[in-house]
Amino acid sequence: MPSLTVIPDVASPSADAGFDAQADRVADWLLGSLEWNATLFHVGQYCGRWRASTAGRARASFHLILEGRCWLHRPGLESVALSPRDGVFLMRDVPHFLSPYADPGIDCAPRAMQPLSASPALGETALACGFFSFDGPLRDLVAQSFPDCLVLRADDLAMASAATLFDLMRSEALRAGTEPSVLMDRLAGLLFFYGLRHVARSDANARGFWGLLRRRGFAPLLAALLQSPERPWSVADMAQRVHLSRAAFFRQFGEACGQSPLQFLQLLRMQIAARKLTQGESIAQAAEAVGYDSYAAFSRTFKRVIGEQPGAWQRARRLDRSEAAGVTAGETNRHRSETPGH
């Protein structure tokens, strides 16, 4: 798997519209199954010999270029030029830094970030930097299908709609100054989700599970699993759907996503059940919706996959929702109090 993906505007000439639409719906469902959020660390602008990094905090992070130009540097890799409305998403905590120079060897030091100017001067670079996270039973399966670093390009026609999010973030930064706002957190989260969906939908960048999804025949199968999770699916049933022998299907599925078909089906069922519990359905209703007649069997499987008993998980999610506003405010205040690591 490459460590850096610069997303081009490429479409698969062999894929018909119906196939693409079905694959896109499955990709949207999988991404939508994640519990994700983004938090701005700080926003503003730099000038002179500056250096910026979010590395070393054991968290996934991002850098959004609001104005000006800069370069992304990672050890052992070619430097990457960044322009206004480009975005860098580091899916894992990896060594990196941004600077105004193409040569990573030019001596630059951390500088205090200044409030964003309505009309930045020549040589100034405006950034929004922060952290993101996502959770859920399918988190590892989804995350492992993406490279360490995603660079979203403003000149990619498929990302044109994201320009609105950058403009809204810049407007909010001008209003709020260097103090990140809850609205900016939301906008950054939307941009993160938008970028992941774009990668998942791009044939040129499909890998891991996304590569499996883009293989003809697999998207309809996955859509069928989502539509009828209560059905007693067997490996033979699934293999027949994609017109492969049982052995070939089992091998291709495992190679792509690191899970056997039945293991993945179990993950999918428990994710669907978890969603139903979050929406207020009873444990019995959630169990029946994913093909379980036995409350005990469902509870055992749910705890093994999710990590908690269904009742405890549902109560915790209710508590999470009731405290969401307080947690968001506390997280924002905590980041504001930190010394910028730039």
Side-chain angles (χ1 to χ4, degrees), residues 44-301:
Q45 64 188 38
Y46 291 110
C47 62
R49 290 174 173 253
W50 58 272
R51 176 188 178 105
S53 178
T54 48
R57 298 176 182 270
R59 302 179 67 183
S61 62
F62 61 86
H63 301 281
L64 308 177
I65 317 303
L66 302 181
E67 293 283 355
R69 300 177 184 277
C70 60
W71 293 78
L72 169 67
H73 307 291
R74 295 182 59 205
L77 297 174
E78 185 177 352
S79 297
V80 178
L82 300 172
S83 302
R85 292 176 175 171
D86 286 349
V88 176
F89 291 90
L90 299 149
M91 304 297 289
R92 285 159 278 279
D93 184 10
V94 295
H96 73 280
F97 69 93
L98 274 63
S99 82
Y101 304 111
D103 183 357
I106 294 178
D107 185 29
C108 296
R111 291 177 178 268
M113 180 176 267
Q114 302 301 314
L116 187 64
S117 170
S119 301
L122 183 66
E124 292 181 333
T125 303
L127 300 174
C129 307
F131 304 97
F132 63 88
S133 63
F134 47 93
D135 206 348
L138 299 177
R139 175 192 60 190
D140 291 341
L141 180 65
V142 172
Q144 290 168 5
S145 297
F146 293 108
D148 287 346
C149 180
L150 305 178
V151 178
L152 307 182
R153 293 297 192 184
D155 59 3
D156 179 355
L157 295 179
M159 287 295 294
S161 298
T164 301
L165 296 176
F166 279 92
D167 292 343
L168 288 172
M169 290 189 72
R170 186 175 182 280
S171 296
E172 181 65 8
L174 287 171
R175 184 195 67 80
T178 56
E179 297 293 334
S181 70
V182 173
L183 176 57
M184 292 191 73
D185 290 348
R186 298 292 186 268
L187 293 171
L190 286 172
L191 189 59
F192 167 61
F193 184 85
Y194 197 103
L196 290 192
R197 187 181 69 171
H198 178 47
V199 176
R201 289 180 167 190
S202 172
D203 287 358
N205 295 281
R207 56 176 54 82
F209 177 74
W210 305 120
L212 176 64
L213 180 61
R214 290 295 170 180
R215 296 189 189 188
R216 190 165 299 280
F218 278 83
L221 167 64
L222 295 173
L225 295 179
L226 290 172
Q227 186 175 359
S228 304
E230 78 287 352
R231 178 177 169 177
W233 294 94
S234 67
V235 174
D237 292 333
M238 290 186 262
Q240 186 176 19
R241 286 274 184 146
V242 295
H243 308 293
L244 290 173
S245 69
R246 186 182 184 280
F249 170 74
F250 195 93
R251 184 182 66 255
Q252 289 189 30
F253 202 105
E255 288 174 352
C257 67
Q259 299 276 345
S260 73
L262 292 181
Q263 285 175 324
F264 179 77
L265 175 60
Q266 192 174 80
L267 281 172
L268 213 57
R269 283 171 167 164
M270 293 306 104
Q271 177 65 64
I272 292 171
R275 274 192 166 190
K276 290 183 176 296
L277 291 173
T278 299
Q279 293 165 357
E281 295 192 22
S282 69
I283 296 174
Q285 289 173 321
E288 183 180 3
V290 294
Y292 282 80
D293 296 325
S294 166
Y295 177 94
F298 172 73
S299 294
R300 285 195 302 270
T301 304

